[in-house]
Amino acid sequence: MKTTDHRSHDGGGELTTGRRPSPVVKRLLRLPAALYEHDAGWLLGHRFVCLTHVGRTSGRRYRTVLEVVGSDRASGEVMVIAGLGRRTDWYRNIAVRPAVEVAIGRHRFRPEHRELGEDEAVAVMTEYGRRHPLIAPLLPRVLTWLVGWHYDGSDAAKRRLVRERPIIAFRPVARRSA
């Protein structure tokens, strides 16, 4: 069953800045979704998740590929950012109906989710920059373009970012013993 939502790599609609990605960028953003659609999401390792969610009004299933910004091996949580903010379709959908599935690498699970508090979200973004030193210098430029205001990587900028673009943690639903 093909249920992929290819609007953007994080399932949102129009960019808040009004700028649209070029056709080449659009194709690159759709590549992770295409890999998951062809059962090759494992090629992405643990860098991206494929979130299956149900439309809040349509009732249709959608698959949205999101970049992992943090994880916690102990709890099994993977954390993603609502890159286009609270108006992102997948974010609005899971607020109404729980997500159906999260696939990461070769692992799939029925998820429950939570929104991180500001301090925890800032820590996740700080760790993300530390874990990815090659792309860390590009983050301020990319995030400035995405959010529409000057993102300089400071603590204040990170706090503003996570207030506007929440970080959501998904983890396997706990099995209840009978």
Side-chain angles (χ1 to χ4, degrees):
M1 167 173 69
K2 291 188 180 183
T3 56
T4 304
D5 178 359
H6 289 293
R7 283 176 288 186
S8 76
H9 79 289
D10 82 344
E14 300 298 318
L15 296 175
T16 50
T17 59
R19 295 179 219 149
R20 294 177 186 252
S22 71
V24 172
V25 170
K26 283 183 180 180
R27 282 191 201 114
L28 287 173
L29 293 175
R30 290 178 181 145
L31 181 61
L35 289 172
Y36 272 104
E37 189 172 313
H38 291 93
D39 293 322
W42 57 269
L43 291 170
L44 300 170
H46 289 86
R47 186 70 192 262
F48 293 91
V49 298
C50 183
L51 173 68
T52 303
H53 53 101
V54 178
R56 62 197 171 280
T57 56
S58 70
R60 291 182 46 209
R61 281 188 179 213
Y62 294 95
R63 296 176 83 191
T64 304
V65 176
L66 305 156
E67 182 180 8
V68 173
V69 294
S71 63
D72 181 349
R73 288 183 189 259
S75 68
E77 285 185 324
V78 290
M79 295 148 211
V80 300
I81 191 166
L84 298 176
R86 287 179 171 79
R87 68 187 190 104
T88 302
D89 284 334
W90 68 262
Y91 177 87
R92 293 171 66 195
N93 288 344
I94 67 168
V96 173
R97 295 183 177 138
V100 175
E101 181 182 79
V102 168
I104 182 166
R106 295 183 190 264
H107 181 64
R108 296 174 183 275
F109 60 89
R110 188 168 58 98
E112 55 189 12
H113 72 275
R114 68 183 180 94
E115 186 171 324
L116 275 57
E118 186 175 316
D119 290 339
E120 187 179 10
V122 167
V124 166
M125 290 306 295
T126 300
E127 178 62 17
Y128 177 85
R130 190 194 66 70
R131 265 193 345 271
H132 301 291
L134 296 177
I135 62 171
L138 300 173
L139 277 178
R141 189 173 192 182
V142 170
L143 288 172
T144 294
W145 177 80
L146 181 65
V147 298
W149 48 266
H150 180 69
Y151 177 88
D152 62 8
S154 67
D155 187 63
K158 287 176 190 168
R159 287 185 181 285
R160 180 178 178 188
L161 175 71
V162 300
R163 280 193 304 269
E164 294 177 7
R165 305 321 199 245
I167 295 181
I168 307 299
F170 293 98
R171 70 172 165 244
V173 170
R175 290 194 172 105
R176 293 179 171 60
S177 56

